[in-house]
Amino acid sequence: MNRAFVFGNDIDTDALAPGQYMGGGIEVLAQHCLEAVDPDFASSVKPGDVIVAGRNFGMGSSREQAAQALKHLGVAGIVARSFAGIFQRNAINLGLPVLVGGDEIAGIEAGDAVELDVRNSRLTTASGAVELEPLPDFLIEMIANGGLVPHLEKRFARERMNRGEQQ
Amino acid sequence: MSRPMTLAEKIIARAAGRASVTPGEVVTTKIDLAMIHDSGGPRRVEPILKRLGVGLFDTKKVVLISDHYVPGDTEEGAAILALTRAWAQEKGVSFYDGEGICHVVLPERGHLKPGMLVVGGDSHSPTGGAFGAYMFGVGATEMAGVLATGEIWLKVPETIRIEWSGTLGPRLMAKDMILAMCGRLGMDGGRYQAIEYAGETVRALEMQERMTMSNMAAELGAQAGLIAPDETTMRWLAEHGATDLPDAADWQSDEGATVAETHRFDASTLEPQVAAPHSPANSAGIGDYEPTGIDVAYIGACTGAKYVDLKAAADIISGHTLAKGVELLVAPSSKRDQERAERDGIMKVLEDAGAKVLPNACGICAGYGSARLGEDVTCISTTARNFKGRMGAKSSKVYLGSPYTVAASAITGRIADPREFGGAA
Ligand code: SF4
């Protein structure tokens, strides 16, 4: 199983993608992701791990490197009490699952074994499954496709094909 | 007659080609305008457009503004600006280069109108709501999608009505109002829904003040921060070159439209507000603050250095000098506002007092360039947000206040009540 990394309320985009490292590539930025809140985060998080957080995760700027840094580190998804709107859109557009959970997620502790199931909107923990708010189907589809860009690639390819057939 | 709708619903319904929409439903809307800047713009969207093998959906509906990396005083910043300029030329979009901060330049050049649905590649895009446009921020990937398709999906928001009554006292501004709202409602009080600011106090505000309030709908966590257009709006737009203006009466919330929440505020009892580090939600009346020394006073950003803000700062500073050891930095939001402030003697007042004038750009607010706050520096700032490490070292502390309050603090050397400096304008 993978592990949970637990954060509080109002984790902002400057903590996720610090301004001073914005000019470097995503590799550099990812190494500083969340260091203002947890200096060991980037070095200890493993692919498949899940972030569990409080309210308004990702508040602040529209910089999507905030979501990209987490994706780069291999984070499987974020489960929070609520998300800042732009961050939530950005994450989905990049194919990083973001799901809203209720009171039960407050019981999850740092280091707990967890597994995220996006399609069934469920977080499995050692002590049972936590149901999360389901995402609309077309967003699950977009995440499954790897985000907005691959999703649009498919759409444009389809449109080109249709036009080609008419000619 | 159809069901009464809020202003947000009317704009979204029109953009979705529908007679009406209901909060919670997901619709695809056409975009009337897309604004991008040097940071999230060309350098991020072009690789995606290339990958998709498509051009811009409509070059006339895209506005590019350089502000985040202006003046390009780092090697990386200069390279980003060069790329931005080359892209603007290649695509033939409207481009304002070093003319000021995007949220201020866009309406200043007549690009916004009531009833439009606009996306901006920046989180403070709700500023457009001051003009009755449904404008919201998106990230670069989503912007690339918009530029490729001219469309975006939206979950129709609920409307949260914030009603202000009473008259603002001397030395109080829209910044104090919005900080008070942040303090009471918190940074997710807006729940990514549409806020509509209303009431006599809002109506009495001039456009640049309304912009500050709509801008910081972002700090309330809303998707948009609308103010229904009125005579003040329409006059300002006409003066700023907007053409084919609609009838303001068409872009009002209907009587009896459903709002999810109504919050009421009283301007007559408001005192100057200051937000303590590291959140705009840490706002309280200035009377609640112990004497706090400051090192830097910053008058800058889209939400704190427009003409109206520069004028407020000069009103306080006129006839005073800076407190010993305090640095006053002024980054006027746009070239036009700076020129007007120069004509009116406002810049001279600030400079004579010892202010250092910075370029018409995001500057320290973005924290991208060479100018950043050093270790342990305490700053009071007119900017919109004071997150840890945003404007400089992680050990720096940023307080937020109105330009009046920041100016008063600059001349006293501590966080100061601007009402101590009489003779309000
Ligand atoms: S001035 Fe600050 S808040 Fe405004 S657009 Fe620039 S970085 Fe954003």
Side-chain angles (χ1 to χ4, degrees):
Chain A
M1 273 225 196
N2 298 296
R3 285 183 306 160
F5 282 75
V6 177
F7 295 92
N9 296 335
D10 295 332
I11 296 295
D12 64 69
T13 51
D14 290 274
L16 290 159
Q20 70 192 112
Y21 305 108
M22 284 285 287
I26 190 68
E27 288 81 14
V28 177
L29 195 61
Q31 292 318 310
H32 296 280
C33 180
L34 289 170
E35 69 180 5
V37 205
D38 174 3
D40 300 327
F41 174 73
S43 54
S44 48
V45 70
K46 300 267 180 318
D49 287 347
V50 176
I51 288 185
V52 177
R55 295 195 179 277
N56 208 17
F57 188 92
M59 71 170 189
S61 88
S62 63
R63 64 183 71 155
E64 58 188 3
Q65 290 92 330
Q68 216 177 355
L70 293 173
K71 185 152 164 122
H72 187 82
L73 293 169
V75 168
I78 309 164
V79 173
R81 293 299 306 275
S82 71
F83 290 92
I86 301 181
F87 176 86
Q88 190 170 20
R89 291 188 78 109
N90 285 344
I92 291 167
N93 286 327
L94 293 169
L96 175 68
V98 281
L99 290 118
V100 174
D103 287 337
E104 308 96 288
I105 69 170
I108 299 168
E109 286 177 26
D112 281 2
V114 290
E115 211 64 60
L116 182 62
D117 178 351
V118 178
R119 220 167 257 285
N120 296 306
S121 48
R122 186 176 299 144
L123 185 71
T124 311
T125 70
S127 54
V130 176
E131 299 299 324
L132 308 168
E133 279 180 27
L135 289 172
D137 285 343
F138 84 98
L139 292 185
I140 293 182
E141 191 62 37
M142 195 188 288
I143 291 170
N145 281 341
L148 178 67
V149 178
H151 194 69
L152 283 179
E153 260 179 331
K154 276 193 183 171
R155 169 175 151 185
F156 285 126
R158 214 171 35 235
E159 286 176 8
R160 279 188 200 105
M161 220 174 69
N162 289 343
R163 274 200 306 274
E165 282 166 5
Q166 282 157 12
Q167 275 163 13
Chain B
M1 202 189 117
S2 60
R3 191 179 64 83
M5 284 195 284
T6 65
L7 174 54
E9 289 158 13
K10 284 187 188 178
I11 299 173
I12 293 169
R14 200 264 312 142
R18 299 258 302 263
S20 71
V21 290
T22 314
E25 69 172 316
V26 174
V27 295
T28 299
T29 60
K30 293 252 182 281
I31 294 295
D32 297 308
L33 187 71
M35 178 196 79
I36 51 177
H37 58 53
D38 52 342
S39 179
R43 68 181 180 132
R44 301 247 179 256
V45 298
E46 185 55 28
I48 299 174
L49 292 172
K50 281 228 166 68
R51 181 171 157 193
L52 295 174
V54 293
L56 301 179
F57 77 104
D58 186 343
T59 50
K60 286 195 280 307
K61 292 183 176 169
V62 179
V63 176
L64 171 63
I65 297 167
S66 64
D67 57 4
H68 278 59
Y69 284 94
V70 171
D73 57 356
T74 61
E75 202 180 311
E76 166 215 336
I80 290 168
L81 288 176
L83 181 154
T84 304
R85 288 170 188 140
W87 190 86
Q89 196 157 36
E90 182 197 321
K91 303 288 177 183
V93 299
S94 295
F95 178 38
Y96 301 99
D97 191 12
E99 296 281 323
I101 302 165
C102 58
H103 306 298
V104 178
V105 172
L106 190 73
E108 183 188 85
R109 306 304 170 105
H111 289 287
L112 293 180
K113 280 183 278 193
M116 288 173 87
L117 194 122
V118 187
V119 293
D122 190 277
S123 64
H124 285 106
S125 298
T127 310
F131 303 89
Y134 196 93
M135 183 163 179
F136 61 104
V138 298
T141 300
E142 184 141 48
M143 180 55 80
V146 165
L147 295 180
T149 62
E151 297 172 355
I152 197 164
W153 66 267
L154 269 178
K155 187 168 173 184
V156 178
E158 295 173 342
T159 292
I160 299 174
R161 190 175 158 90
I162 303 185
E163 216 170 285
W164 278 85
S165 59
T167 308
L168 281 174
R171 304 303 192 205
L172 280 129
M173 297 183 77
K175 178 57 71 57
D176 300 295
M177 295 168 73
I178 186 69
L179 287 176
M181 292 185 259
C182 290
R184 194 203 292 179
L185 305 176
M187 286 204 68
D188 65 349
R191 298 184 289 109
Y192 205 52
Q193 307 301 312
I195 286 176
E196 185 171 340
Y197 304 108
E200 54 176 343
T201 325
V202 176
R203 291 264 164 262
L205 294 174
E206 59 175 286
M207 288 316 293
Q208 287 198 328
E209 284 279 86
R210 295 184 189 184
M211 286 163 70
T212 298
M213 192 175 275
S214 290
N215 175 298
M216 288 182 65
E219 275 56 47
L220 289 170
Q223 185 174 44
L226 297 161
I227 298 173
D230 59 9
E231 272 169 39
T232 306
T233 322
M234 303 318 278
R235 197 181 329 113
W236 195 96
L237 288 171
E239 281 166 14
H240 288 79
T243 49
D244 297 326
L245 288 172
D247 189 344
D250 291 342
W251 300 107
Q252 308 287 326
S253 285
D254 290 328
E255 193 86 30
T258 307
V259 296
E261 303 163 27
T262 302
H263 301 280
R264 290 194 172 79
F265 287 81
D266 181 2
S268 60
T269 57
L270 190 70
E271 58 169 339
Q273 300 286 304
V274 170
H278 300 281
S279 169
N282 291 342
S283 289
I286 193 141
D288 292 4
Y289 284 83
E290 300 288 322
T292 308
I294 57 144
D295 307 302
V296 176
Y298 187 64
I299 294 181
C302 47
T303 182
K306 300 182 289 298
Y307 176 82
V308 62
D309 304 305
L310 299 170
K311 182 171 184 308
D315 279 352
I316 298 279
I317 285 179
S318 180
H320 295 273
T321 49
L322 297 184
K324 210 161 169 285
V326 170
E327 200 179 7
L328 173 62
L329 304 173
V330 179
S333 309
S334 80
K335 194 168 265 173
R336 284 201 179 166
D337 276 2
Q338 180 170 350
E339 284 165 1
R340 187 173 161 210
E342 268 158 13
R343 283 197 299 275
D344 295 357
I346 287 168
M347 293 310 295
K348 184 167 178 344
V349 167
L350 298 174
E351 282 169 70
D352 286 353
K356 186 173 165 204
V357 180
L358 303 176
N360 306 122
C362 296
I364 305 181
C365 182
Y368 289 178
S370 58
R372 290 170 55 79
L373 300 177
E375 296 291 343
D376 297 314
V377 164
T378 300
C379 171
I380 185 159
S381 172
T382 61
T383 50
R385 48 178 69 135
N386 54 345
F387 302 151
K388 196 172 191 170
R390 173 179 172 88
M391 288 170 64
K394 281 201 273 295
S395 61
S396 61
K397 290 192 195 67
V398 179
Y399 291 81
L400 303 177
S402 78
Y404 282 133
T405 303
V406 171
S409 306
I411 56 182
T412 47
R414 57 172 169 80
I415 294 177
D417 189 333
R419 294 171 302 183
E420 288 166 22
F421 298 85

